[in-house]
Short mmCIF file of all heavy atoms in Angstrom, two decimals:
data_model
loop_
_atom_site.label_atom_id
_atom_site.label_comp_id
_atom_site.label_asym_id
_atom_site.label_seq_id
_atom_site.Cartn_x
_atom_site.Cartn_y
_atom_site.Cartn_z
N ASN A 36 -33.12 7.45 -27.14
CA ASN A 36 -33.26 8.11 -25.85
C ASN A 36 -31.98 8.11 -25.03
O ASN A 36 -31.87 8.89 -24.10
CB ASN A 36 -34.36 7.41 -25.02
CG ASN A 36 -35.73 7.90 -25.45
OD1 ASN A 36 -35.83 8.93 -26.09
ND2 ASN A 36 -36.75 7.19 -25.09
N TYR A 37 -31.05 7.26 -25.39
CA TYR A 37 -29.84 7.24 -24.60
C TYR A 37 -29.12 8.58 -24.64
O TYR A 37 -28.47 8.98 -23.71
CB TYR A 37 -28.92 6.11 -25.06
CG TYR A 37 -28.20 6.35 -26.36
CD1 TYR A 37 -26.94 6.94 -26.34
CD2 TYR A 37 -28.76 6.00 -27.56
CE1 TYR A 37 -26.26 7.18 -27.51
CE2 TYR A 37 -28.10 6.23 -28.73
CZ TYR A 37 -26.86 6.83 -28.71
OH TYR A 37 -26.20 7.06 -29.88
N VAL A 38 -29.30 9.30 -25.74
CA VAL A 38 -28.69 10.63 -25.83
C VAL A 38 -29.28 11.54 -24.76
O VAL A 38 -28.59 12.28 -24.07
CB VAL A 38 -28.89 11.25 -27.22
CG1 VAL A 38 -28.31 12.65 -27.27
CG2 VAL A 38 -28.26 10.38 -28.27
N PHE A 39 -30.55 11.40 -24.62
CA PHE A 39 -31.25 12.20 -23.62
C PHE A 39 -30.76 11.86 -22.23
O PHE A 39 -30.42 12.71 -21.44
CB PHE A 39 -32.75 11.92 -23.76
CG PHE A 39 -33.59 12.70 -22.80
CD1 PHE A 39 -34.05 13.95 -23.15
CD2 PHE A 39 -33.92 12.18 -21.56
CE1 PHE A 39 -34.83 14.68 -22.27
CE2 PHE A 39 -34.71 12.90 -20.70
CZ PHE A 39 -35.18 14.15 -21.05
N ILE A 40 -30.68 10.55 -21.97
CA ILE A 40 -30.23 10.12 -20.65
C ILE A 40 -28.78 10.55 -20.42
O ILE A 40 -28.41 10.98 -19.35
CB ILE A 40 -30.36 8.60 -20.48
CG1 ILE A 40 -31.77 8.15 -20.79
CG2 ILE A 40 -29.98 8.15 -19.08
CD1 ILE A 40 -31.93 6.66 -20.78
N LYS A 41 -28.01 10.40 -21.47
CA LYS A 41 -26.60 10.75 -21.37
C LYS A 41 -26.45 12.22 -20.96
O LYS A 41 -25.72 12.56 -20.05
CB LYS A 41 -25.92 10.52 -22.72
CG LYS A 41 -24.42 10.74 -22.69
CD LYS A 41 -23.84 10.79 -24.06
CE LYS A 41 -23.80 12.21 -24.61
NZ LYS A 41 -23.00 13.09 -23.83
N THR A 42 -27.19 13.04 -21.65
CA THR A 42 -27.12 14.46 -21.37
C THR A 42 -27.54 14.73 -19.93
O THR A 42 -26.94 15.48 -19.20
CB THR A 42 -28.08 15.24 -22.31
OG1 THR A 42 -27.85 14.78 -23.60
CG2 THR A 42 -27.82 16.71 -22.21
N TYR A 43 -28.58 14.06 -19.60
CA TYR A 43 -29.12 14.27 -18.27
C TYR A 43 -28.10 13.81 -17.22
O TYR A 43 -27.84 14.49 -16.25
CB TYR A 43 -30.41 13.47 -18.12
CG TYR A 43 -31.38 14.15 -17.23
CD1 TYR A 43 -32.36 14.96 -17.77
CD2 TYR A 43 -31.29 14.03 -15.84
CE1 TYR A 43 -33.24 15.64 -16.95
CE2 TYR A 43 -32.16 14.70 -15.05
CZ TYR A 43 -33.14 15.49 -15.59
OH TYR A 43 -34.01 16.17 -14.78
N ALA A 44 -27.53 12.66 -17.51
CA ALA A 44 -26.57 12.10 -16.55
C ALA A 44 -25.31 12.92 -16.52
O ALA A 44 -24.78 13.22 -15.45
CB ALA A 44 -26.25 10.68 -16.95
N GLU A 45 -24.89 13.32 -17.67
CA GLU A 45 -23.63 14.04 -17.76
C GLU A 45 -23.66 15.33 -16.96
O GLU A 45 -22.68 15.69 -16.30
CB GLU A 45 -23.38 14.37 -19.22
CG GLU A 45 -21.98 14.88 -19.46
CD GLU A 45 -21.81 15.21 -20.91
OE1 GLU A 45 -22.28 14.44 -21.74
OE2 GLU A 45 -21.27 16.28 -21.20
N TYR A 46 -24.74 15.98 -16.97
CA TYR A 46 -24.84 17.24 -16.25
C TYR A 46 -25.21 17.04 -14.79
O TYR A 46 -25.49 17.98 -14.08
CB TYR A 46 -25.79 18.18 -16.98
CG TYR A 46 -25.09 18.79 -18.15
CD1 TYR A 46 -25.12 18.18 -19.37
CD2 TYR A 46 -24.31 19.91 -17.96
CE1 TYR A 46 -24.43 18.70 -20.43
CE2 TYR A 46 -23.60 20.44 -19.01
CZ TYR A 46 -23.67 19.84 -20.24
OH TYR A 46 -22.96 20.34 -21.29
N ARG A 47 -25.24 15.83 -14.43
CA ARG A 47 -25.41 15.55 -13.02
C ARG A 47 -24.18 14.86 -12.44
O ARG A 47 -24.21 14.31 -11.35
CB ARG A 47 -26.69 14.75 -12.78
CG ARG A 47 -27.83 15.63 -12.42
CD ARG A 47 -29.13 15.17 -13.02
NE ARG A 47 -30.18 16.10 -12.65
CZ ARG A 47 -30.32 17.29 -13.18
NH1 ARG A 47 -29.45 17.70 -14.10
NH2 ARG A 47 -31.28 18.09 -12.81
N LEU A 48 -23.17 14.84 -13.20
CA LEU A 48 -21.93 14.25 -12.69
C LEU A 48 -21.36 15.20 -11.64
O LEU A 48 -21.24 16.40 -11.82
CB LEU A 48 -20.91 14.08 -13.83
CG LEU A 48 -21.15 12.93 -14.78
CD1 LEU A 48 -20.16 12.99 -15.91
CD2 LEU A 48 -21.08 11.62 -14.06
N TYR A 49 -21.00 14.62 -10.58
CA TYR A 49 -20.55 15.43 -9.45
C TYR A 49 -19.29 14.82 -8.89
O TYR A 49 -19.20 13.61 -8.68
CB TYR A 49 -21.65 15.48 -8.40
CG TYR A 49 -21.28 16.21 -7.16
CD1 TYR A 49 -20.72 17.48 -7.23
CD2 TYR A 49 -21.49 15.64 -5.92
CE1 TYR A 49 -20.38 18.18 -6.10
CE2 TYR A 49 -21.14 16.34 -4.77
CZ TYR A 49 -20.59 17.59 -4.86
OH TYR A 49 -20.25 18.25 -3.73
N ASN A 50 -18.35 15.62 -8.69
CA ASN A 50 -17.07 15.12 -8.25
C ASN A 50 -16.66 15.85 -6.97
O ASN A 50 -15.92 16.83 -7.01
CB ASN A 50 -16.04 15.33 -9.35
CG ASN A 50 -14.71 14.68 -9.00
OD1 ASN A 50 -14.61 13.96 -8.00
ND2 ASN A 50 -13.70 14.96 -9.79
N PRO A 51 -17.15 15.42 -5.82
CA PRO A 51 -16.87 16.18 -4.59
C PRO A 51 -15.42 15.98 -4.15
O PRO A 51 -14.91 14.88 -4.16
CB PRO A 51 -17.84 15.55 -3.59
CG PRO A 51 -18.11 14.19 -4.10
CD PRO A 51 -17.97 14.23 -5.58
N SER A 52 -14.83 17.08 -3.81
CA SER A 52 -13.47 17.09 -3.24
C SER A 52 -12.46 16.35 -4.09
O SER A 52 -11.53 15.74 -3.60
CB SER A 52 -13.48 16.46 -1.82
OG SER A 52 -14.49 17.02 -1.06
N GLN A 53 -12.68 16.40 -5.36
CA GLN A 53 -11.77 15.78 -6.33
C GLN A 53 -11.54 14.27 -6.06
O GLN A 53 -10.51 13.73 -6.39
CB GLN A 53 -10.41 16.50 -6.35
CG GLN A 53 -10.49 17.95 -6.75
CD GLN A 53 -11.10 18.12 -8.14
OE1 GLN A 53 -10.68 17.46 -9.07
NE2 GLN A 53 -12.07 19.02 -8.26
N SER A 54 -12.49 13.66 -5.42
CA SER A 54 -12.36 12.21 -5.25
C SER A 54 -12.83 11.54 -6.54
O SER A 54 -13.25 12.22 -7.49
CB SER A 54 -13.20 11.73 -4.08
OG SER A 54 -14.55 11.70 -4.47
N PHE A 55 -12.75 10.27 -6.59
CA PHE A 55 -13.11 9.60 -7.84
C PHE A 55 -14.55 9.13 -7.85
O PHE A 55 -14.92 8.30 -8.65
CB PHE A 55 -12.17 8.43 -8.10
CG PHE A 55 -10.79 8.86 -8.46
CD1 PHE A 55 -9.73 8.51 -7.67
CD2 PHE A 55 -10.58 9.62 -9.59
CE1 PHE A 55 -8.45 8.92 -8.02
CE2 PHE A 55 -9.32 10.03 -9.94
CZ PHE A 55 -8.24 9.69 -9.15
N ASP A 56 -15.29 9.58 -6.90
CA ASP A 56 -16.69 9.14 -6.87
C ASP A 56 -17.51 10.00 -7.84
O ASP A 56 -17.52 11.21 -7.76
CB ASP A 56 -17.27 9.29 -5.47
CG ASP A 56 -16.75 8.22 -4.56
OD1 ASP A 56 -16.38 7.15 -5.07
OD2 ASP A 56 -16.69 8.47 -3.34
N LEU A 57 -18.15 9.31 -8.70
CA LEU A 57 -19.10 10.04 -9.56
C LEU A 57 -20.46 9.90 -8.96
O LEU A 57 -20.90 8.79 -8.64
CB LEU A 57 -19.09 9.41 -10.96
CG LEU A 57 -17.80 9.49 -11.75
CD1 LEU A 57 -17.96 8.74 -13.06
CD2 LEU A 57 -17.46 10.93 -12.04
N TYR A 58 -21.06 11.00 -8.80
CA TYR A 58 -22.41 10.95 -8.23
C TYR A 58 -23.39 11.36 -9.29
O TYR A 58 -23.31 12.41 -9.84
CB TYR A 58 -22.49 11.88 -7.01
CG TYR A 58 -23.71 11.57 -6.18
CD1 TYR A 58 -23.75 10.44 -5.39
CD2 TYR A 58 -24.83 12.40 -6.24
CE1 TYR A 58 -24.86 10.14 -4.64
CE2 TYR A 58 -25.94 12.12 -5.50
CZ TYR A 58 -25.96 10.98 -4.70
OH TYR A 58 -27.07 10.68 -3.96
N LEU A 59 -24.24 10.48 -9.54
CA LEU A 59 -25.15 10.68 -10.65
C LEU A 59 -26.58 10.74 -10.15
O LEU A 59 -27.03 9.85 -9.46
CB LEU A 59 -25.00 9.48 -11.61
CG LEU A 59 -25.93 9.40 -12.79
CD1 LEU A 59 -25.54 10.42 -13.80
CD2 LEU A 59 -25.84 8.01 -13.37
N ILE A 60 -27.20 11.81 -10.47
CA ILE A 60 -28.58 11.94 -10.05
C ILE A 60 -29.45 12.01 -11.29
O ILE A 60 -29.21 12.84 -12.16
CB ILE A 60 -28.81 13.21 -9.20
CG1 ILE A 60 -27.96 13.15 -7.93
CG2 ILE A 60 -30.28 13.35 -8.84
CD1 ILE A 60 -28.01 14.41 -7.14
N MET A 61 -30.37 11.15 -11.32
CA MET A 61 -31.31 11.20 -12.43
C MET A 61 -32.67 11.60 -11.91
O MET A 61 -33.10 11.08 -10.90
CB MET A 61 -31.39 9.83 -13.13
CG MET A 61 -30.15 9.54 -13.91
SD MET A 61 -30.28 7.90 -14.64
CE MET A 61 -30.16 6.88 -13.23
N ASN A 62 -33.22 12.49 -12.56
CA ASN A 62 -34.55 12.93 -12.15
C ASN A 62 -35.57 11.93 -12.69
O ASN A 62 -35.86 11.89 -13.88
CB ASN A 62 -34.81 14.31 -12.72
CG ASN A 62 -36.14 14.84 -12.30
OD1 ASN A 62 -36.99 14.08 -11.83
ND2 ASN A 62 -36.34 16.10 -12.45
#
Side-chain angles (χ1 to χ4, degrees):
Chain A
N36 279 342
Y37 74 91
V38 177
F39 182 88
I40 305 174
K41 185 192 91 61
T42 312
Y43 213 95
E45 191 183 316
Y46 282 91
R47 264 143 182 74
L48 284 174
Y49 177 50
N50 187 8
S52 311
Q53 298 302 311
S54 76
F55 289 118
D56 287 333
L57 296 176
Y58 195 74
L59 174 73
I60 298 174
M61 288 178 290
N62 182 345

